[in-house]
Amino acid sequence: MKRLTILATLLFAAVSVSAQDYHIKLWDNATAPTSNGVTGDEYERKPGTLTNTSSAEIWIYKPAPEKATGQAIVFCPGGGYSQLSIANGHNTCKWFAENGIVGVMLKYRLPNGHSEVPLNDLDKAVATVREMAGELGVDPHKVGVAGTSAGGYLAGSAGVMSESKPDFMVLIYPVVSSDPDKRHLGTFQQLVGKENVETEAAKFSLEKVVDSTTCPALIFHSDDDKVVPAINAALLYEKLKANGVKASLHIFPSGGHGWGMSKKFKYHENFKAATLDWLKVINAEADKAAAKNK
Protein backbone atom coordinates (compact mmCIF):
# COMPACT_ATOMS: atom_id res chain seq x y z
CA MET A 1 0.00 0.00 0.00
CA LYS A 2 1.49 3.28 -1.11
CA ARG A 3 1.51 5.65 1.88
CA LEU A 4 1.13 9.38 1.92
CA THR A 5 4.14 11.24 3.24
CA ILE A 6 3.25 11.03 6.91
CA LEU A 7 4.87 10.24 10.19
CA ALA A 8 3.21 7.22 11.80
CA THR A 9 4.22 5.98 15.22
CA LEU A 10 2.63 3.16 17.19
CA LEU A 11 2.23 4.21 20.79
CA PHE A 12 3.04 1.57 23.39
CA ALA A 13 1.57 3.21 26.51
CA ALA A 14 -0.02 0.66 28.82
CA VAL A 15 -3.44 2.23 28.99
CA SER A 16 -7.02 1.16 28.37
CA VAL A 17 -8.41 -0.51 25.25
CA SER A 18 -9.46 2.90 23.98
CA ALA A 19 -5.84 4.10 23.80
CA GLN A 20 -4.75 5.83 20.65
CA ASP A 21 -3.19 3.42 18.16
CA TYR A 22 -1.50 5.94 15.89
CA HIS A 23 -0.27 9.50 16.08
CA ILE A 24 0.33 10.82 12.59
CA LYS A 25 1.73 14.18 11.57
CA LEU A 26 0.09 15.10 8.28
CA TRP A 27 2.09 18.25 7.47
CA ASP A 28 2.97 21.71 8.73
CA ASN A 29 3.21 25.20 7.28
CA ALA A 30 6.50 24.33 5.60
CA THR A 31 5.27 21.13 3.90
CA ALA A 32 1.54 21.76 3.31
CA PRO A 33 0.32 23.37 0.08
CA THR A 34 -1.00 26.27 2.16
CA SER A 35 0.20 28.18 5.23
CA ASN A 36 -1.73 29.99 7.94
CA GLY A 37 1.20 32.31 8.55
CA VAL A 38 1.38 31.45 12.24
CA THR A 39 4.80 31.69 13.89
CA GLY A 40 5.95 30.70 17.34
CA ASP A 41 5.14 27.62 19.36
CA GLU A 42 1.76 26.02 19.84
CA TYR A 43 0.63 26.30 23.45
CA GLU A 44 -2.22 25.44 25.79
CA ARG A 45 -4.31 28.51 26.52
CA LYS A 46 -5.83 26.43 29.30
CA PRO A 47 -5.63 22.69 30.07
CA GLY A 48 -6.99 20.72 27.12
CA THR A 49 -7.24 23.77 24.84
CA LEU A 50 -4.57 24.41 22.22
CA THR A 51 -3.87 27.55 20.20
CA ASN A 52 -1.37 28.95 17.67
CA THR A 53 -1.46 25.67 15.75
CA SER A 54 0.87 25.45 12.77
CA SER A 55 0.84 21.71 12.05
CA ALA A 56 -1.92 19.22 11.27
CA GLU A 57 -1.88 15.92 13.16
CA ILE A 58 -4.25 13.05 13.81
CA TRP A 59 -4.64 10.58 16.66
CA ILE A 60 -6.40 7.36 15.69
CA TYR A 61 -8.41 5.23 18.13
CA LYS A 62 -9.33 1.76 16.88
CA PRO A 63 -12.23 -0.28 18.25
CA ALA A 64 -11.96 -3.86 19.41
CA PRO A 65 -12.19 -6.08 16.28
CA GLU A 66 -15.38 -7.78 17.43
CA LYS A 67 -17.11 -4.38 17.71
CA ALA A 68 -15.85 -2.82 14.49
CA THR A 69 -18.57 -1.44 12.20
CA GLY A 70 -16.24 -0.58 9.32
CA GLN A 71 -16.90 3.13 9.85
CA ALA A 72 -14.43 5.88 10.72
CA ILE A 73 -15.05 9.47 11.81
CA VAL A 74 -12.54 12.31 11.65
CA PHE A 75 -13.42 14.67 14.49
CA CYS A 76 -12.75 18.42 14.39
CA PRO A 77 -12.69 20.11 17.82
CA GLY A 78 -14.27 23.53 18.26
CA GLY A 79 -12.92 26.76 19.68
CA GLY A 80 -14.14 29.58 17.46
CA TYR A 81 -11.20 29.04 15.07
CA SER A 82 -8.99 30.80 17.64
CA GLN A 83 -8.25 27.68 19.70
CA LEU A 84 -8.95 23.94 19.69
CA SER A 85 -10.77 22.00 22.43
CA ILE A 86 -8.38 19.07 22.13
CA ALA A 87 -9.50 17.29 25.31
CA ASN A 88 -13.11 17.07 24.15
CA GLY A 89 -11.89 15.83 20.77
CA HIS A 90 -9.94 12.97 22.29
CA ASN A 91 -12.82 12.04 24.59
CA THR A 92 -15.23 11.95 21.67
CA CYS A 93 -12.92 9.77 19.57
CA LYS A 94 -12.45 7.35 22.45
CA TRP A 95 -16.22 7.08 22.72
CA PHE A 96 -16.49 6.37 18.99
CA ALA A 97 -13.93 3.58 19.35
CA GLU A 98 -15.75 2.10 22.33
CA ASN A 99 -18.78 1.79 20.05
CA GLY A 100 -17.07 0.14 17.09
CA ILE A 101 -16.14 3.23 15.06
CA VAL A 102 -12.57 4.27 14.32
CA GLY A 103 -12.22 7.68 15.96
CA VAL A 104 -9.73 10.09 14.42
CA MET A 105 -8.96 13.27 16.37
CA LEU A 106 -7.73 16.04 14.07
CA LYS A 107 -5.55 18.87 15.31
CA TYR A 108 -5.94 21.27 12.43
CA ARG A 109 -4.15 24.52 11.71
CA LEU A 110 -6.20 27.51 12.77
CA PRO A 111 -7.04 29.73 9.77
CA ASN A 112 -5.60 33.05 10.97
CA GLY A 113 -7.39 34.68 8.03
CA HIS A 114 -6.31 31.98 5.56
CA SER A 115 -9.70 30.41 4.83
CA GLU A 116 -8.42 27.42 2.87
CA VAL A 117 -6.13 26.07 5.58
CA PRO A 118 -8.47 24.14 7.95
CA LEU A 119 -10.32 22.45 5.08
CA ASN A 120 -7.02 21.48 3.45
CA ASP A 121 -6.10 19.77 6.73
CA LEU A 122 -9.42 17.96 7.05
CA ASP A 123 -9.32 16.79 3.42
CA LYS A 124 -5.81 15.45 4.06
CA ALA A 125 -6.99 13.63 7.19
CA VAL A 126 -9.93 12.01 5.37
CA ALA A 127 -7.64 10.95 2.50
CA THR A 128 -5.16 9.48 4.97
CA VAL A 129 -7.84 7.41 6.70
CA ARG A 130 -9.11 6.13 3.36
CA GLU A 131 -5.58 5.21 2.35
CA MET A 132 -5.10 3.33 5.63
CA ALA A 133 -8.53 1.66 5.39
CA GLY A 134 -7.20 -1.88 5.19
CA GLU A 135 -4.85 -1.36 8.10
CA LEU A 136 -7.58 0.23 10.20
CA GLY A 137 -10.35 -2.23 9.32
CA VAL A 138 -12.36 0.55 7.68
CA ASP A 139 -14.47 0.56 4.54
CA PRO A 140 -13.06 3.49 2.51
CA HIS A 141 -16.66 4.37 1.56
CA LYS A 142 -17.63 4.75 5.21
CA VAL A 143 -15.36 7.60 6.31
CA GLY A 144 -17.26 10.48 7.87
CA VAL A 145 -16.48 13.73 9.64
CA ALA A 146 -17.79 15.32 12.81
CA GLY A 147 -17.18 18.44 14.82
CA THR A 148 -18.41 20.86 17.44
CA SER A 149 -19.07 24.60 16.98
CA ALA A 150 -16.35 25.97 14.64
CA GLY A 151 -15.19 22.36 14.27
CA GLY A 152 -18.75 21.60 13.19
CA TYR A 153 -18.41 24.36 10.63
CA LEU A 154 -15.19 22.75 9.37
CA ALA A 155 -16.81 19.31 9.17
CA GLY A 156 -19.78 20.87 7.39
CA SER A 157 -17.43 22.62 4.97
CA ALA A 158 -16.00 19.24 3.99
CA GLY A 159 -19.46 17.76 3.52
CA VAL A 160 -20.68 20.72 1.49
CA MET A 161 -17.71 22.27 -0.32
CA SER A 162 -14.91 19.70 -0.58
CA GLU A 163 -14.34 18.03 -3.96
CA SER A 164 -13.38 14.83 -2.15
CA LYS A 165 -16.34 14.64 0.18
CA PRO A 166 -16.63 12.49 3.31
CA ASP A 167 -19.37 9.87 3.26
CA PHE A 168 -21.40 11.46 6.06
CA MET A 169 -21.15 14.20 8.69
CA VAL A 170 -22.20 14.66 12.32
CA LEU A 171 -22.45 18.35 13.21
CA ILE A 172 -22.78 19.33 16.87
CA TYR A 173 -24.01 22.89 17.57
CA PRO A 174 -22.26 23.93 14.34
CA VAL A 175 -21.51 27.40 13.09
CA VAL A 176 -23.28 27.55 9.70
CA SER A 177 -24.46 30.97 8.57
CA SER A 178 -22.42 34.13 8.01
CA ASP A 179 -25.55 36.33 8.06
CA PRO A 180 -25.04 39.15 10.60
CA ASP A 181 -28.14 38.23 12.63
CA LYS A 182 -27.21 34.54 12.88
CA ARG A 183 -23.44 34.19 12.72
CA HIS A 184 -20.80 33.57 15.33
CA LEU A 185 -18.78 36.62 14.35
CA GLY A 186 -15.47 35.45 15.82
CA THR A 187 -15.42 32.28 13.72
CA PHE A 188 -15.76 34.21 10.46
CA GLN A 189 -13.29 36.89 11.58
CA GLN A 190 -10.71 34.16 12.13
CA LEU A 191 -11.64 32.43 8.87
CA VAL A 192 -11.37 35.36 6.45
CA GLY A 193 -9.79 38.13 8.55
CA LYS A 194 -11.58 40.86 10.50
CA GLU A 195 -11.22 43.35 7.69
CA ASN A 196 -12.84 40.97 5.17
CA VAL A 197 -15.88 39.74 7.07
CA GLU A 198 -18.44 42.02 5.44
CA THR A 199 -17.18 41.35 1.90
CA GLU A 200 -15.94 37.75 2.01
CA ALA A 201 -17.81 35.78 4.69
CA ALA A 202 -20.95 35.22 2.58
CA LYS A 203 -18.95 32.90 0.31
CA PHE A 204 -18.46 30.58 3.29
CA SER A 205 -22.03 30.48 4.58
CA LEU A 206 -22.79 26.77 4.39
CA GLU A 207 -26.54 27.01 3.88
CA LYS A 208 -25.91 29.13 0.78
CA VAL A 209 -23.69 26.56 -0.94
CA VAL A 210 -25.47 23.28 -0.17
CA ASP A 211 -26.33 21.26 -3.26
CA SER A 212 -27.41 17.73 -4.10
CA THR A 213 -23.84 16.40 -3.84
CA THR A 214 -23.65 17.26 -0.12
CA CYS A 215 -23.15 14.18 2.04
CA PRO A 216 -25.79 12.92 4.54
CA ALA A 217 -25.89 14.86 7.80
CA LEU A 218 -26.86 14.42 11.43
CA ILE A 219 -27.19 17.78 13.20
CA PHE A 220 -27.51 18.61 16.91
CA HIS A 221 -28.17 21.93 18.64
CA SER A 222 -29.73 23.39 21.78
CA ASP A 223 -32.63 25.81 21.57
CA ASP A 224 -31.10 28.08 24.22
CA ASP A 225 -27.65 28.31 22.62
CA LYS A 226 -26.64 31.96 23.00
CA VAL A 227 -23.23 31.58 21.31
CA VAL A 228 -24.30 29.96 18.04
CA PRO A 229 -28.08 30.35 17.59
CA ALA A 230 -29.96 27.15 16.81
CA ILE A 231 -31.29 28.75 13.63
CA ASN A 232 -27.89 27.81 12.14
CA ALA A 233 -28.79 24.12 12.40
CA ALA A 234 -32.35 24.67 11.22
CA LEU A 235 -31.26 26.63 8.14
CA LEU A 236 -28.77 23.96 7.15
CA TYR A 237 -31.33 21.19 7.61
CA GLU A 238 -33.86 23.09 5.49
CA LYS A 239 -31.36 23.51 2.64
CA LEU A 240 -30.24 19.88 2.84
CA LYS A 241 -33.81 18.64 2.48
CA ALA A 242 -34.53 21.12 -0.34
CA ASN A 243 -31.63 19.51 -2.22
CA GLY A 244 -32.71 15.93 -1.53
CA VAL A 245 -29.92 15.18 0.95
CA LYS A 246 -30.52 12.64 3.72
CA ALA A 247 -30.46 14.51 7.03
CA SER A 248 -31.67 14.34 10.62
CA LEU A 249 -31.99 17.27 13.04
CA HIS A 250 -32.20 17.23 16.85
CA ILE A 251 -32.71 20.50 18.75
CA PHE A 252 -32.68 19.91 22.49
CA PRO A 253 -34.78 22.20 24.75
CA SER A 254 -31.75 23.32 26.77
CA GLY A 255 -28.03 22.83 27.16
CA GLY A 256 -26.56 26.04 25.83
CA HIS A 257 -23.30 25.83 23.91
CA GLY A 258 -20.20 23.68 24.32
CA TRP A 259 -21.58 20.59 26.06
CA GLY A 260 -19.58 18.15 23.95
CA MET A 261 -19.21 14.83 25.76
CA SER A 262 -20.00 16.29 29.17
CA LYS A 263 -22.10 14.00 31.32
CA LYS A 264 -23.51 17.13 32.97
CA PHE A 265 -25.42 17.85 29.78
CA LYS A 266 -29.03 16.89 30.55
CA TYR A 267 -29.48 15.15 27.20
CA HIS A 268 -26.10 13.42 27.14
CA GLU A 269 -27.55 9.93 26.85
CA ASN A 270 -30.11 11.06 24.26
CA PHE A 271 -27.31 12.57 22.19
CA LYS A 272 -25.23 9.39 22.31
CA ALA A 273 -28.17 7.12 21.51
CA ALA A 274 -29.33 9.27 18.58
CA THR A 275 -25.80 9.40 17.18
CA LEU A 276 -25.26 5.66 17.31
CA ASP A 277 -28.72 4.94 15.91
CA TRP A 278 -28.16 7.25 12.92
CA LEU A 279 -24.70 5.83 12.25
CA LYS A 280 -26.18 2.32 12.31
CA VAL A 281 -28.81 3.34 9.75
CA ILE A 282 -26.22 5.02 7.51
CA ASN A 283 -24.02 1.94 7.77
CA ALA A 284 -26.81 -0.43 6.75
CA GLU A 285 -27.74 1.78 3.80
CA ALA A 286 -24.11 1.85 2.65
CA ASP A 287 -23.97 -1.96 2.81
CA LYS A 288 -27.22 -2.23 0.86
CA ALA A 289 -25.98 0.15 -1.83
CA ALA A 290 -22.67 -1.70 -2.12
CA ALA A 291 -24.46 -5.05 -2.52
CA LYS A 292 -26.76 -3.60 -5.18
CA ASN A 293 -23.80 -2.28 -7.18
CA LYS A 294 -21.93 -5.60 -7.22
Side-chain angles (χ1 to χ4, degrees), residues 176-187:
V176 172
S177 181
S178 68
D179 288 352
D181 60 335
K182 305 175 185 72
R183 69 190 179 195
H184 180 256
L185 180 59
T187 295

Side-chain angles (χ1 to χ4, degrees), residues 176-185 188 198 201-202 204-208 229 231-232 235:
V176 172
S177 181
S178 68
D179 288 352
D181 60 335
K182 305 175 185 72
R183 69 190 179 195
H184 180 256
L185 180 59
F188 289 100
E198 301 310 323
F204 300 92
S205 201
L206 297 184
E207 83 282 10
K208 292 179 172 62
I231 192 65
N232 279 260
L235 279 173

Side-chain angles (χ1 to χ4, degrees), residues 132-280:
M132 296 177 66
E135 189 174 346
L136 298 175
V138 167
D139 183 328
H141 302 293
K142 296 180 179 181
V143 179
V145 294
T148 52
S149 195
Y153 174 84
L154 175 54
S157 297
V160 172
M161 297 189 289
S162 177
E163 291 184 5
S164 178
K165 286 184 173 63
D167 297 295
F168 57 87
M169 55 185 175
V170 180
L171 311 181
I172 305 163
Y173 41 89
V175 174
V176 172
S177 181
S178 68
D179 288 352
D181 60 335
K182 305 175 185 72
R183 69 190 179 195
H184 180 256
L185 180 59
T187 295
F188 289 100
Q189 287 179 331
Q190 292 293 330
L191 184 65
V192 300
K194 290 182 180 180
E195 68 281 5
N196 300 318
V197 168
E198 301 310 323
T199 57
E200 297 294 317
K203 300 176 185 177
F204 300 92
S205 201
L206 297 184
E207 83 282 10
K208 292 179 172 62
V209 291
V210 165
D211 62 24
S212 61
T213 69
T214 300
C215 70
L218 171 63
I219 311 167
F220 293 97
H221 225 108
S222 294
D223 186 58
D224 62 350
D225 192 329
K226 299 294 192 296
V227 178
V228 179
I231 192 65
N232 279 260
L235 279 173
L236 182 58
Y237 176 77
E238 179 186 23
K239 295 298 184 180
L240 290 167
K241 299 315 297 179
N243 282 274
V245 178
K246 182 178 180 62
S248 183
L249 172 64
H250 298 257
I251 298 182
F252 298 114
S254 61
H257 190 79
W259 35 265
M261 291 301 292
S262 173
K263 293 181 180 178
K264 294 180 181 179
F265 175 49
K266 181 177 180 180
Y267 302 99
H268 177 68
E269 295 300 327
N270 304 71
F271 160 70
K272 291 194 298 182
T275 300
L276 294 178
D277 179 69
W278 189 82
L279 290 172
K280 184 177 180 180

Side-chain angles (χ1 to χ4, degrees), residues 31-133:
T31 56
T34 57
S35 172
N36 64 0
V38 167
T39 59
D41 295 332
E42 299 176 354
Y43 63 93
E44 284 191 295
R45 180 169 290 175
K46 60 182 180 180
T49 303
L50 195 64
T51 193
N52 213 48
T53 55
S54 58
S55 67
E57 305 173 42
I58 55 175
W59 287 259
I60 301 177
Y61 296 83
K62 290 176 63 177
E66 65 274 12
K67 288 186 175 182
T69 67
Q71 294 169 305
I73 296 178
V74 180
F75 184 84
C76 309
Y81 270 167
S82 63
Q83 59 187 14
L84 300 180
S85 300
I86 296 293
N88 180 61
H90 283 287
N91 288 337
T92 306
C93 289
K94 290 176 183 178
W95 177 73
F96 285 142
E98 289 166 1
N99 287 278
I101 302 145
V102 173
V104 182
M105 213 298 292
L106 171 64
K107 176 175 77 69
Y108 54 91
R109 292 172 297 154
L110 294 164
N112 190 38
H114 299 264
S115 58
E116 72 282 1
V117 167
L119 186 54
N120 284 168
D121 292 353
L122 180 52
D123 284 345
K124 177 76 165 179
V126 170
T128 300
V129 173
R130 284 176 171 156
E131 185 185 82
M132 296 177 66

